[in-house]
Amino acid sequence: MPMLPACLLILLALFVSPAYADTKPIISEAIYSMGDGETPSSAEAMVLQKAKQRALEEAGTYVESYTHVRNLDLTIDEIKTSAGGVMKTEIVEQNRALEGSGTRFYIKIRALVTTDKIEDLARRKQLGPLAAENKRLQDDVAKLTRDLENFK
């Protein structure tokens, strides 16, 4: 008789404020060094993107861990993180400076981040893997039930 795979689904944490539709003011900074073949405007866009990403991660990050064990052997071990929210940004400070043979871009932003969207994202992400795992386990049970009927 085949052995059922042991599955562990661990949702580690949801690091967000418990208040819904909470708007958080966050100051975020980023540095970016322009590479060969880049334009100053694309480097400025990259440094702004990095500052926004840091602000979102500070406002709330969803962490999910999935571990799959089959016959006492670890087959899958994944950790995923997601950050999201609605954000309004204002550039507080911005400059560029020569650094070695390249240019370094610096930006400081003030972001107003609404975190209710990360909570929605977390709920959707929690349901996706659980639904797929539930379906797979139901299929395994149905197959084992058919095998048991065949043995009778």
Side-chain angles (χ1 to χ4, degrees):
M1 187 168 203
M3 183 177 217
L4 278 177
C7 296
L8 302 173
L9 180 62
I10 304 167
L11 296 174
L12 283 180
L14 178 60
F15 298 109
V16 294
S17 168
Y20 291 95
D22 187 21
T23 300
K24 297 180 180 182
I26 296 172
I27 301 293
S28 178
E29 300 174 290
I31 296 173
Y32 182 79
S33 295
M34 187 169 79
D36 293 339
E38 282 187 285
T39 65
S41 62
S42 68
E44 285 176 347
M46 289 297 293
V47 75
L48 178 60
Q49 182 63 31
K50 284 177 70 172
K52 287 179 178 181
Q53 181 178 350
R54 286 185 179 161
L56 284 174
E57 289 170 353
E58 187 176 329
T61 302
Y62 172 77
V63 180
E64 176 182 340
S65 174
Y66 177 77
T67 302
H68 183 235
V69 178
R70 179 180 223 123
N71 296 330
L72 301 177
D73 290 328
L74 180 67
T75 58
I76 298 173
D77 193 16
E78 294 179 343
I79 297 175
K80 299 177 184 178
T81 61
S82 299
V86 177
M87 178 189 313
K88 179 181 177 185
T89 59
E90 172 191 349
I91 296 174
V92 175
E93 185 181 340
Q94 183 176 21
N95 65 50
R96 53 174 101 163
L98 292 176
E99 184 177 88
S101 62
T103 306
R104 179 190 57 80
F105 291 80
Y106 167 82
I107 195 165
K108 183 176 187 179
I109 64 170
R110 179 180 299 114
L112 291 174
V113 182
T114 304
T115 60
D116 60 340
K117 299 300 179 198
I118 188 69
E119 293 167 1
D120 291 342
L121 174 67
R123 279 191 285 283
R124 281 181 291 181
K125 285 196 165 279
Q126 286 174 352
L127 294 178
L130 291 174
E133 184 68 12
N134 185 41
K135 167 95 171 85
R136 192 190 61 72
L137 290 172
Q138 285 177 344
D139 291 345
D140 286 350
V141 168
K143 182 184 180 304
L144 289 172
T145 302
R146 285 191 304 271
D147 289 348
L148 184 60
E149 290 298 320
N150 290 336
F151 286 129
K152 289 180 180 178

